[in-house]
Amino acid sequence: MPIEIPYDLIQLVKAGDQQSFGKLIDKCSNYVYGIALKMLGDADDAHDAAQESFIKIWQKIHTYKSHFKFTTWLYKIVINTCLDRLRDRNRDNTIFQKVDDHTDLTTTTEPKMEFEEQEFIAYIRMISERLSPRQHSVFVLHDLEELGQEEIAKILNMSKGSVKSNLYHARKAIRKILISLDKAKTNAL
Amino acid sequence: MKCENLEKIDLYFEKKLNDQERAFIAEHLETCDACHGYLNDLKHTDRVIGQLKSFNPELANPLAFRNEVLAKINPIQESVFQSTLDRIVEAIISILVKPATKYAFVAFAAIFFGLFVYQQSMIFQKMDDLEKRMESKAENVPTSRELSLETFFKRKEAKMIEEKHTDNLLNEHRYLQLKYTILLKVLKDRHPDTYREFIQKIEKETQLPTDKSNDYEDL
Ligand SMILES: [Zn+2]
């Protein structure tokens, strides 16, 4: 679900206008939060990452060149902020214990048509823990955000070939996760 | 046991096979458990990804979110130069409390004043540049007949941005002036002797017109 940010709004933010920056935040805070939640699988962490991203946007807006799509630039900032957090999380394994607090997916019945937030978060959390940060980013951008491979390559600073292979491995890993989840479900019954 | 057709199942699922291959796999699926199971896995994965995709997370309180971000980005405190000034003002005010160190104060105040003049001249320079740019643009304005609607709006937008720049510079300038004024006021109230000494020192070291320093005195 791509968003449109008017060109003049970006120019006003570039000129240092705080009020316009407030408008920009209003326009894309849910969007940025959504990307962060898909990357991190934790509501509090995603909230903080989204705020950090906006602060970076404010500090770096003068480096944004308007021949680029604004959303591509935005993704770059949000994804990098989240990748830093994922890296910190890997360093500090204690955070992983938080996973146990989330919804136990093995006890849920057949998937409903729509996800509840807790279920969504639990799935994302599980996927993000099993995939490498690169695979997870490619998966989020391609399968959930529905971006093209070329744009993803730009956002993640990798080749198109690398995007493809990361996507292939990500999907394979996700399939495995879901199968093992199914097995756990049948065993639980 | 692995089935040799397993690799084709991906393509079958993605509808990338030609009619002939498609028909073959469809028939094969009826008899091969491995391929049939794998196709189900693909469908299941696709369904879950679809559900994940259709979920749009929302902030609990977007208004609070925005205000929190804005509170964190105060542009004036962000600048290193300004925070240096803040530290100097703090140092000076703490010194003012101890009358014995009034000479140290004069030294501090002189440094502060130097920074003030420098910062102010930078602001004026920026304003001059901006004005010149606007003037040179005004010279090249085509007649109204030549001006298309598009260029008209582009110019209007550019003008708006430049005005915003000027506003920001003016604010910066006002902020600086305010801090300086507060500093002088504190000094005048608490240590009138040091104040007079300080003003004399400034007038000697810089060629600031006297009427300008009177402006500060009034405040
Ligand atoms: Zn088979």
Side-chain angles (χ1 to χ4, degrees), chain B residues 3-6 9 28 32-36:
Chain B
C3 172
E4 58 181 12
N5 289 319
L6 217 50
I9 303 299
H28 173 75
C32 178
D33 282 346
C35 288
H36 188 78

Side-chain angles (χ1 to χ4, degrees), chain B residues 111-124:
Chain B
I111 294 168
F112 173 78
F113 187 72
L115 287 174
F116 170 74
V117 171
Y118 170 76
Q119 171 88 338
Q120 205 179 34
S121 72
M122 293 297 281
I123 292 169
F124 287 149

